[in-house]
Amino acid sequence: MTTIIETKNLCKTFKDSAQEVHAVENVSLNIAEGEFTAIVGPSGSGKTTLLNLIGGLDNATSGKIVIDGQDISMLSEKQMTEFRLRNIGFIFQAYNLIPVLTAKENVSFVMDLQGRKKSETNARTRELLEAVGLSDRMDSRPAKLSGGQQQRVAVARALASKPKFILADEPNANLDSKSAQHLLEMMEKLNEQEKITFIFSTHDPRIMAKAKRIITLEDGKIVSDEYK
Amino acid sequence: MIINLAWKNIWRNKTRSFVIIGAIALGLFSGTYLSALMTGWVMDTVNADIKINLSHVQIHDSTFLQNSDIGAFFNKTAVEQQFASSNINGKMTCRLKLNGMLASANNAVGVTAKGIFKDTEMTVSDIATQIPDSFGVFLPDDARMPVVISEKTAEKLKVRLKSKIVFTFSDIHGNMQSLAFRVSGIFHTSNGLFDEANVFVRYNDIFPVTGLPDEAVHEAAVLLPDIETCALDFPKIKDLYPQLKVQDWKELNPMLSMSLQWTNLMSVIIISIFLFALTFGIINTMLMAVLERTRELGMLGAIGMSKRKIFSMIMLETVFLTFVGSIIGIILAVALLLPSLQNGLDLTPLIGNDFEDFGGFSSIVYPILNVEMILEIIGLVILAGILSAIYPARKALKLKALDAIRV
């Protein structure tokens, strides 16, 4: 399998007047295409910080992140935004859909930003919403959808840009167990059938049970990295 | 998509958007309505004074304006021929102007008698149309020694139609001359001062006793198609008569010209105050709109929306708000102004007729809707909107995707 994410001695230190906090410390890892990986660990262990660094939302204090052969620490803010648009899909804990747009418009928004053709955008939007089981709610706004449905729209949006991988930060945290289970099965299916790479930051034992690789962090350091 | 999103975003908080749209609409409506009313009021006055009293251009002997000396005359035919030989598109009439006393059996008043040529006078002046029905006619050809006086003069002299009055003046030799006239018409204009000061007689009735040489006149009045043409043609007319004093309506009545400039200035001041207040309203609204969407703007940055696009989106939201408000304001103003464009707006219950006595300001106002002015106001409002959106939009630009998502 091709490596799409490579981190080398990645460090992120937060400083305040009293002390330095090493949120991520010397993390070196490789993630290959098609992986279904969970980054786990107790609160404050550095899971979300690591995810933000990989997603280019935060800058590392030191170390290197190479995505698909591109060292992203060399990119300017503007280039990084464009890089995220083309290469990374995000699923947030709080769904973060655009409330004034319908499910269909939320999904097609990213493709519009990419400047894709209208016909291609429409076809892919329909295809993705069908894949996440929301073909009958395409014209509903987020407020009219349940939490589970909103998160499925968020998954479709993350997939819309045809990213190299998807980062999901506690995607089940705000969902009831049934919705969470349904969402997880859907993402697992996408991973198995379409070889889409998922990287989760999670506490959820259900995700850990389904994940094919579990990276455990404690105090910003990798304490275990297991393939199932 | 950004246009679609910006449009939808302004309806996210309908109450807030309606309040700011309402404020813009109300401000624009007030500005447009007041401006149309004030411009109409002053332009009515300017046009009425031009059509009845001033004309666009007047020509006199250079000493006539200092003391209205009967001897400060010029030759009618020479002046008319020079005008006719020019390519200026306008009408000219000539007048004698004699200061004297007009007396009835009851009273006497000081007036200027204008000795006119009826045919040409009626092409230049609207005075003949200022005689209401049943108040006689303007110097009928078959009448003997007719005079047209104003309603105010008639009241002072306590005379009516066909009453006999005597005009006494000093001829070129300093001898007192008296002529008896019969009132053939009584006029009323919106300019009380003009009404009190002027009476009209036929040139041929009064000329023989003046002692002036043949074809002597004191004044030539020129009416051009409009004031814009006047601005262009006035220098040419001035060049035609280097030996005479040639003045346009602005020089003849500087107060009127000043009123017009003052009105334009007032319109600018009113609209500027409105725009200044509007700017704060928009800054406040858009700042709230940005701050309450911090997380969402962060998410947009995270999924790859560039800062330029986020900035454009906020600016577009402001433009939409101001544009919608502007259109509503203009529609309101036009809807309320339309009925009064034809029939005028009667302000008599509010201001009475006092302004007529003050110098020609009619109590009935015909508002003027100037499309250019409306477009300028809309443009200024949108510009104010754009300028006031810059601060909130910059605020949105400073948000870091990660920090914003954490909120």
Side-chain angles (χ1 to χ4, degrees):
Chain A
M1 285 279 194
T2 321
T3 297
I4 52 167
I5 302 168
E6 184 186 2
T7 73
K8 273 187 188 165
N9 304 321
L10 198 60
C11 292
K12 178 69 186 177
T13 306
F14 294 105
K15 288 178 189 169
D16 63 24
S17 51
Q19 57 179 355
E20 283 190 349
V21 177
H22 301 285
V24 172
E25 206 173 343
N26 281 322
V27 170
S28 297
L29 58 83
N30 291 330
I31 294 175
E33 196 177 8
E35 282 195 10
F36 201 69
T37 302
I39 300 172
V40 302
S43 291
S45 58
K47 310 185 289 291
T48 301
T49 306
L50 180 58
L51 222 59
N52 289 336
L53 290 171
I54 294 171
L57 293 173
D58 206 354
N59 297 319
T61 310
S62 64
K64 201 166 149 184
I65 306 168
V66 178
I67 294 175
D68 204 24
Q70 165 89 54
D71 183 354
I72 65 167
S73 52
M74 305 302 286
L75 299 177
S76 68
E77 195 182 340
K78 190 178 168 188
Q79 289 168 325
M80 193 61 235
T81 306
E82 183 67 19
F83 187 83
R84 285 197 299 268
L85 176 65
R86 306 274 164 203
N87 298 287
I88 308 172
F90 288 91
I91 301 171
F92 304 97
Q93 184 178 329
Y95 329 133
N96 285 357
L97 297 176
I98 304 168
V100 293
L101 300 184
T102 61
K104 192 169 65 183
E105 289 167 334
N106 263 288
V107 175
S108 60
F109 187 75
V110 179
M111 290 182 275
D112 285 327
L113 288 179
Q114 287 180 319
R116 296 226 201 139
K117 281 183 189 164
K118 197 85 195 157
S119 53
E120 187 193 345
T121 300
N122 289 341
R124 183 155 173 81
T125 301
R126 199 168 297 114
E127 180 190 313
L128 286 168
L129 283 170
E130 275 168 16
V132 297
L134 287 174
S135 52
D136 55 337
R137 305 305 303 270
M138 284 190 187
D139 294 315
S140 301
R141 287 196 179 183
K144 301 281 180 193
L145 300 172
S146 68
Q149 288 171 325
Q150 286 188 56
Q151 197 62 303
R152 280 190 274 157
V153 175
V155 172
R157 179 180 66 187
L159 290 166
S161 61
K162 295 188 177 168
K164 300 220 161 47
F165 58 93
I166 288 176
L167 295 174
D169 187 11
E170 308 269 12
N172 284 349
N174 291 346
L175 300 181
D176 59 72
S177 58
K178 196 179 162 193
S179 301
Q181 189 61 37
H182 187 192
L183 183 78
L184 188 57
E185 282 167 6
M186 189 191 75
M187 290 192 282
E188 191 182 24
K189 195 171 140 194
L190 285 166
N191 172 255
E192 281 170 1
Q193 292 180 352
E194 301 192 23
K195 304 292 171 213
I196 292 163
T197 311
F198 280 90
I199 302 154
F200 300 92
S201 135
T202 188
H203 285 113
D204 189 341
R206 283 166 300 196
I207 296 182
M208 289 188 241
K210 298 266 184 193
K212 290 162 194 158
R213 179 182 177 188
I214 297 179
I215 299 168
T216 309
L217 290 182
E218 262 177 40
D219 297 328
K221 294 176 189 159
I222 295 176
V223 292
S224 74
D225 186 353
E226 294 170 9
Y227 288 87
K228 290 184 188 171
Chain B
M1 181 48 113
I2 288 176
I3 293 172
N4 178 34
L5 182 57
W7 176 254
K8 286 182 173 172
N9 276 337
I10 67 170
W11 304 113
R12 189 184 280 246
N13 187 331
K14 288 192 177 71
T15 311
R16 193 171 59 206
S17 292
F18 277 128
V19 166
I20 192 74
I21 285 172
I24 295 166
L26 198 68
L28 212 83
F29 158 73
S30 315
T32 311
Y33 193 86
L34 263 178
S35 197
L37 215 61
M38 291 199 310
T39 311
W41 200 34
V42 174
M43 282 313 292
D44 280 355
T45 309
V46 168
N47 287 328
D49 213 29
I50 285 171
K51 290 291 275 181
I52 290 165
N53 183 20
L54 300 175
S55 314
H56 286 115
V57 177
Q58 284 186 9
I59 303 162
H60 301 94
D61 181 90
S62 52
T63 58
F64 183 81
L65 292 166
Q66 290 160 18
N67 51 14
S68 300
D69 179 16
I70 188 171
F73 59 85
F74 56 85
N75 185 278
K76 173 178 176 283
T77 308
V79 167
E80 282 179 343
Q81 278 176 353
Q82 268 176 294
F83 187 73
S85 64
S86 72
N87 58 358
I88 294 163
N89 175 25
K91 304 275 193 294
M92 176 182 266
T93 191
C94 291
R95 300 162 182 149
L96 275 178
K97 285 180 85 174
L98 302 165
N99 292 336
M101 293 296 289
L102 194 63
S104 68
N106 300 301
N107 210 348
V109 291
V111 294
T112 299
K114 290 186 175 178
I116 57 114
F117 297 89
K118 188 178 164 189
D119 291 347
T120 53
E121 182 71 27
M122 286 172 74
T123 63
V124 171
S125 157
D126 273 356
I127 191 65
T129 63
Q130 303 300 306
I131 301 173
D133 291 345
S134 79
F135 279 76
V137 287
F138 188 71
L139 305 178
D141 295 335
D142 55 351
R144 194 169 170 274
M145 299 297 280
V147 63
V148 173
I149 62 174
S150 73
E151 201 177 345
K152 287 196 171 193
T153 307
E155 279 168 17
K156 281 185 183 169
L157 296 178
K158 293 180 184 160
V159 295
R160 294 179 291 187
L161 277 177
K162 295 185 180 168
S163 294
K164 192 173 162 186
I165 49 178
V166 174
F167 181 61
T168 306
F169 68 99
S170 180
D171 70 11
I172 185 97
H173 308 298
N175 301 320
M176 297 305 284
Q177 299 286 349
S178 291
L179 282 173
F181 291 93
R182 274 196 195 278
V183 178
S184 75
I186 298 174
F187 67 86
H188 175 95
T189 73
S190 59
N191 186 340
L193 295 177
F194 172 83
D195 285 9
E196 281 177 22
N198 294 284
V199 300
F200 294 85
V201 298
R202 291 188 299 224
Y203 179 90
N204 291 333
D205 290 341
I206 203 163
F207 174 75
V209 295
T210 57
L212 291 166
D214 283 351
E215 301 208 319
V217 288
H218 294 120
E219 180 174 285
V222 178
L223 188 73
L224 299 161
D226 46 51
I227 30 182
E228 287 76 26
T229 318
C230 174
L232 294 172
D233 285 349
F234 174 60
K236 295 182 200 164
I237 300 174
K238 214 168 178 174
D239 289 345
L240 278 179
Y241 308 105
Q243 74 285 16
L244 296 172
K245 179 81 174 169
V246 182
Q247 295 167 293
D248 67 355
W249 65 275
K250 290 181 185 171
E251 283 181 70
L252 291 162
N253 192 343
M255 204 187 107
L256 200 61
S257 161
M258 218 171 68
S259 302
L260 194 60
Q261 287 171 344
W262 177 243
T263 306
N264 293 338
L265 183 68
M266 282 300 288
S267 298
V268 171
I269 290 172
I270 290 171
I271 289 164
S272 302
I273 292 171
F274 150 64
L275 288 178
F276 190 64
L278 176 71
T279 302
F280 286 99
I282 294 175
I283 290 176
N284 185 39
T285 302
M286 293 312 295
L287 209 52
M288 278 200 286
V290 166
L291 293 178
E292 75 182 14
R293 277 193 283 158
T294 302
R295 174 187 274 270
E296 190 179 312
L297 293 171
M299 177 277 294
L300 290 173
I303 64 171
M305 188 168 177
S306 67
K307 292 204 163 185
R308 187 177 58 81
K309 284 182 175 158
I310 292 176
F311 185 83
S312 307
M313 182 180 74
I314 306 283
M315 298 300 281
L316 268 174
E317 287 174 26
T318 318
V319 170
F320 286 148
L321 271 180
T322 49
F323 192 71
V324 171
S326 305
I327 295 298
I328 293 174
I330 295 287
I331 289 173
L332 265 178
V334 172
L336 281 175
L337 282 169
L338 271 180
S340 49
L341 289 181
Q342 284 291 320
N343 308 319
L345 195 66
D346 190 356
L347 300 179
T348 315
L350 295 173
I351 60 171
N353 289 317
D354 295 347
F355 283 90
E356 290 190 5
D357 297 331
F358 182 62
F361 291 92
S362 172
S363 306
I364 297 174
V365 180
Y366 293 85
I368 291 178
L369 259 181
N370 185 340
V371 177
E372 202 177 306
M373 178 191 77
I374 291 175
L375 292 177
E376 272 174 23
I377 294 176
I378 293 180
L380 281 175
V381 171
I382 291 176
L383 185 69
I386 290 172
L387 289 178
S388 47
I390 289 176
Y391 176 63
R394 278 177 60 89
K395 197 95 180 162
L397 284 192
K398 283 182 184 162
L399 294 172
K400 286 205 177 294
L402 180 61
D403 298 335
I405 292 168
R406 277 188 190 139
V407 171

